[in-house]
Amino acid sequence: MTEETQEMNPMTAPEFAGLVAVVTGGASGIGLATARELHARGARVAVLDRAAADEPFLHVRCDVTDDDAVRAALDEVTARLGGVNVLVNNAGMGAQGTVEDNTPEEWHRVLDVNVVGIARVTAAALPALREAAADGQGHAAVVNMCSIAATAGLPQRALYSASKGAVLALTRAMAADHLREGIRVTCVNPGTADTPWVARLLDAADDPDAERAALAARQPSGRLVSAAEVAHAVAYLASPRSGATTGTDLAVDGGMQGLRLRPQ
């Protein structure tokens, strides 16, 4: 077998070879880990974020709450990379408190980023995704970033949980709407992950070490989820090798959603 033949063999080529992936919020945390993972698996990656990272990706500055900026960003991606096969809707923001604690302005802001932002970016990407799906043995997939907060009641997370519950329902609705167009839609539900946002929460706690231990202990695995573990799950769902998987949510939470271990 020649080197050229080996490169063309689908059994040896990287699984995302020839595909273009867009990751929103890809400049840090889970988004950056996801962009790196997709790039390592052969994808050409575009990161949409308000910040930039020193990585081998196409970086497009974009605020997912700005409709004009989102459409301009997707136009730039398709013009420079030739299309979109995979969209990872990772951009999001957190919130703490009960329903008494967050102002109406905070509710609007978090829902605009976490829920409407997904709809806004996906709508802008749909023409390119449809074209990718229709291209012979084409491939088109959307992976939304959801959360354990969508499936478990967490204290002091009313607004955040409401937004992620909406993401879960939106994922299933989008999967139903676009299945016959050849576009798969899924989501990942991380548990408490070791990310910059969680680090900021810990830094603000009265006893950061005790707070970290408490967050780790509530997951049956006894530790925080890593950004890389979430990225691997995203890559699995986005892959052409997952062609029969759509409308589902994949928990990456150390067993928090489904396990009830007896205390040691």
Side-chain angles (χ1 to χ4, degrees):
M1 180 182 293
T2 67
E3 182 177 346
E4 180 179 359
T5 303
Q6 184 175 6
E7 289 179 357
M8 297 301 293
N9 187 334
M11 298 302 293
T12 59
E15 64 189 292
F16 287 89
L19 302 183
V20 175
V22 175
V23 182
T24 68
S28 65
I30 290 172
L32 178 57
T34 298
R36 287 171 172 165
E37 183 66 22
L38 295 174
H39 181 265
R41 297 192 189 200
R44 289 176 292 158
V45 177
V47 164
L48 275 55
D49 203 304
R50 294 185 299 174
D54 185 18
E55 299 284 341
F57 315 133
L58 169 62
H59 292 273
V60 182
R61 292 189 182 275
C62 180
D63 182 342
V64 298
T65 66
D66 184 332
D67 189 68
D68 290 339
V70 166
R71 293 188 179 278
L74 266 297
D75 286 345
E76 181 174 348
V77 171
T78 56
R80 294 182 62 179
L81 299 184
V84 177
N85 299 94
V86 172
L87 171 62
V88 181
N89 283 307
N90 169 76
M93 62 183 300
Q96 291 181 283
T98 71
V99 291
E100 293 181 297
D101 298 324
N102 300 113
T103 66
E105 291 76 19
E106 288 174 310
W107 276 86
H108 285 288
R109 174 64 176 167
V110 172
L111 292 173
D112 195 17
V113 173
N114 291 4
V115 185
V116 184
I118 288 178
R120 189 177 285 117
V121 176
T122 305
L126 273 173
L129 290 167
R130 290 187 180 112
E131 185 175 347
D135 184 19
Q137 296 296 316
H139 175 71
V142 177
V143 183
N144 297 326
M145 193 57 62
C146 197
S147 170
I148 181 65
T151 57
L154 304 180
Q156 296 290 316
R157 293 292 186 275
L159 170 51
Y160 183 72
S161 297
S163 74
K164 292 303 183 177
V167 170
L168 180 56
L170 178 61
T171 296
R172 291 175 179 160
M174 288 167 55
D177 284 338
H178 303 295
L179 176 61
R180 289 177 179 169
E181 296 178 309
I183 302 169
R184 297 185 300 106
V185 185
T186 57
C187 67
V188 174
N189 290 2
T192 304
D194 198 355
T195 62
W197 180 63
V198 170
R200 288 192 292 272
L201 292 180
L202 294 174
D203 289 342
D206 293 334
D207 187 339
D209 291 338
E211 184 65 16
R212 173 177 281 273
L215 291 177
R218 74 179 183 180
Q219 299 184 134
S221 61
R223 63 173 177 83
L224 301 185
V225 176
S226 73
E229 288 170 326
V230 181
H232 292 319
V234 172
Y236 163 73
L237 291 173
S239 171
R241 298 173 184 174
S242 302
T245 303
T246 191
T248 192
D249 54 295
L250 176 57
V252 187
D253 60 7
M256 187 175 176
Q257 177 177 313
L259 303 184
R260 301 293 183 269
L261 302 188
R262 296 177 64 180
Q264 291 182 325

